[in-house]
Amino acid sequence: MVKIAVMGYGVVGSGVVEVLTNHSENIARRAKEEISIKYILDLRDFPGSPFGSKFTKSFETILNDPEVKIVVEVMGGLHPSFEYVKACLEAGKSVVTSNKELVAAKGAELLKIAQKNNLNFLFEASVGGGIPIIRPISQCLAANDVVEIAGILNGTTNFILTKMIREQMTFEDALALAQKLGYAERNPAADIEGSDACRKICILASLAYGKHVYPEQVHTEGITKIALADVEYAAAWGGVVKLIGQVRALENGKLQIIVCPMFIPRESQLATVDDVFNGIMVRGDSTGDVVFYGKGAGKLPTASAVVADVIDCVKHFKARKYLYWEDGSEDYVEDYRLNVISMYVRAKTEDEAVALKNVKQIFGEVTRLSRKNAENGEFAFVTNSMKEEEILTKLEKLKSMGICVENTIRIGNL
Amino acid sequence: MVKIAVMGYGVVGSGVVEVLTNHSENIARRAKEEISIKYILDLRDFPGSPFGSKFTKSFETILNDPEVKIVVEVMGGLHPSFEYVKACLEAGKSVVTSNKELVAAKGAELLKIAQKNNLNFLFEASVGGGIPIIRPISQCLAANDVVEIAGILNGTTNFILTKMIREQMTFEDALALAQKLGYAERNPAADIEGSDACRKICILASLAYGKHVYPEQVHTEGITKIALADVEYAAAWGGVVKLIGQVRALENGKLQIIVCPMFIPRESQLATVDDVFNGIMVRGDSTGDVVFYGKGAGKLPTASAVVADVIDCVKHFKARKYLYWEDGSEDYVEDYRLNVISMYVRAKTEDEAVALKNVKQIFGEVTRLSRKNAENGEFAFVTNSMKEEEILTKLEKLKSMGICVENTIRIGNL
């Protein structure tokens, strides 16, 4: 019998308790030991809960109980999660977490403590919810060099974009609907401004390339500037707008990594990842493209990933799982303005003929896009491939000619 | 340093040697030990091969060498693979295989020997090539009851169907092209008649539900009867024709399992799995639908899955991986005619008005389908849901009325 503690009884925490309870027999068979919840840490009261006797408000009770071998951290946020997890690892307890903010900020540090103490620190649920992705990258793809990872990593923004694409909802209406349905929080900033997706691509990049990438190193743009006009131009171009997290290893040893909306061609396997679903493409030099698809969030999917990690902990008390990356460094991420891309540009002018002449003079040949409901003086085009900094300079020049650049979106090179 | 032997130096075998050689440093880091190939078993000669000194034609040399701890079986076929693998396991060597025929026919027996001797018998590459699927099902989904698995499990037939759907090629032309491109063998029977897909769904079903399903228990239909007319009617219906392997647990403890072409709605995540790609949907009670997508065959994808298993063997010499299912039983699979489905029917008649009256009289309301190039007297419809045996009886009645039923395809209930 292995005793564990669950820290946090919110959506995921209560899901973990539910899955452990409902599947206890199956889980015991897989883990080869019974798993029993000794404590549930939460500052709130849950009168009438069948788990009443397990609740505690004292972290120290858990920390100081030598019977507790595994601690599940599903509180979220960076503090006090970090301090608690660190203390648990230092006290000889393995830790399982779903907390992407924690792993993205402190992964290398916590993995180091786990390694030193011969413990496991597992976080399958931190990316992709119930989609197995951490394990496949770390294990199955061990015989590959990872060429690239690109994914739709945030279900909330994908839901909003899907509503804009399929039902011509505005961003504001789609966000309001997402909030009504419980897909978006009242403060949706972390989702719609891209920082949730950023944390996840940081975790995947750190794992795949062995060195920590910190969220603040990654150029991140959300979807708040996407208008219906952009969605329509994407369709005219032959694709859809998706919020993509993408990372590639460069030959100079640095990473090319970015989170931003992109035009994705309709034929791409990621283009059909709709609604709250996530899709993650891992390109290996041997396997080619492998795509993982499923619900990237939600109580039970996330909880089942947490429980799978708990089972793995139980099975690997002696043989530690290989999961490790080293500290990051300041110059590890290439300036995104050095990436070679092509860019969609939506602009407005008073004199279209002159504007187009200017565009041609500045950018050379471009691909014009059109849409049915274009406003007066509106025009859109896609540039050829060049360094982003070059595009930015050219756009400044365009603006100086009195052309109003209303939005730009990168063309996904997946 | 761990010494291994590779039995079979065909496409996959040479890929395994290539991956082990090219990624040796990375692999040693993951496995925490160097992995060295001591023998390559093949009856052919490979003059000039850089691995010349490792080749042997004698299985006994491998079997009797106590230094060889892991044997990779990539010869294919049932004999002598089965005898060799069994002997290796009995001699205390772990075995990794990509041989789906072997696992589908003898999995339970070989897993039992492996368990008895505390060895690993791993076969990630037997399903989905380089797509991680065995491990995710056995590990990540440990906290789930698997409700259903459905997948496009054979790349060759999926390539043929894609050519028929996208380029209006006939089955014969598409098959010839697949052979020319090396996607189909000169004798393509195992692919186009569905037995390859059948072996794979048997392996997944055995793993997910813990009890062996033998290929001969599974009703299997290939794609040889699919005509362009059917592809066009599928489009009119709102979907595509795909060769699907599907398994579900029934409440009576039996399995509902089948391999056959199905109409799949365009919105399904499996509908966009095209060309030689495979896509496998695993529906868990907690995770919901998780889909795995990638190249289901090919030298390097398959080899990299084999090598990942070898690494896992090295890491788990002491702690055996949990991978096990028990022997099957005769009545474990439900008669497919008891499944409730709806059916697409394409027929011909000399008097359409009378025929349609008869269809209505026999089947009740049906959904008529139409296509541009319909031949004279041709008509097609989709029945309501009912037991398949009921549909079959009704079709016999239809035939007795002089209506020529040219093809039937099940509507995928995914």
Side-chain angles (χ1 to χ4, degrees), chain A residues 23 29-30 132 135 138-140 143-144 269 272 285-287 289-294 300-301 304 307-308 316 322, chain B residues 23 29-30 132 135 138-140 143-144 269 272 285-287 289-294 300-301 304 307-308 316 322:
Chain A
H23 291 82
R29 193 170 58 86
R30 298 266 172 186
R135 228 179 240 95
S138 76
Q139 290 190 1
C140 297
N144 278 264
Q269 202 60 23
T272 53
D285 66 341
S286 302
T287 54
D289 292 4
V290 179
V291 178
F292 303 82
Y293 167 93
L300 290 181
S304 88
V307 171
H316 290 84
Y322 195 91
Chain B
H23 292 80
R29 193 169 59 87
R30 299 267 172 185
R135 228 180 240 94
S138 76
Q139 291 190 1
C140 298
N144 279 264
Q269 202 59 23
T272 52
D285 67 341
S286 301
T287 55
D289 293 3
V290 179
V291 178
F292 303 82
Y293 167 92
L300 290 180
S304 89
V307 171
H316 290 84
Y322 195 92

Side-chain angles (χ1 to χ4, degrees), chain A residues 111 123 133-138 146 149 201-213 322-325, chain B residues 29-30:
Chain A
L111 284 166
F123 41 83
I133 182 70
I134 301 289
R135 228 179 240 95
I137 289 184
S138 76
V146 175
I149 300 174
I201 196 70
C202 284
I203 295 172
L204 297 180
S206 303
L207 182 67
Y209 298 109
K211 188 166 162 176
H212 201 121
V213 184
Y322 195 91
L323 209 59
Y324 190 74
W325 62 72
Chain B
R29 193 169 59 87
R30 299 267 172 185

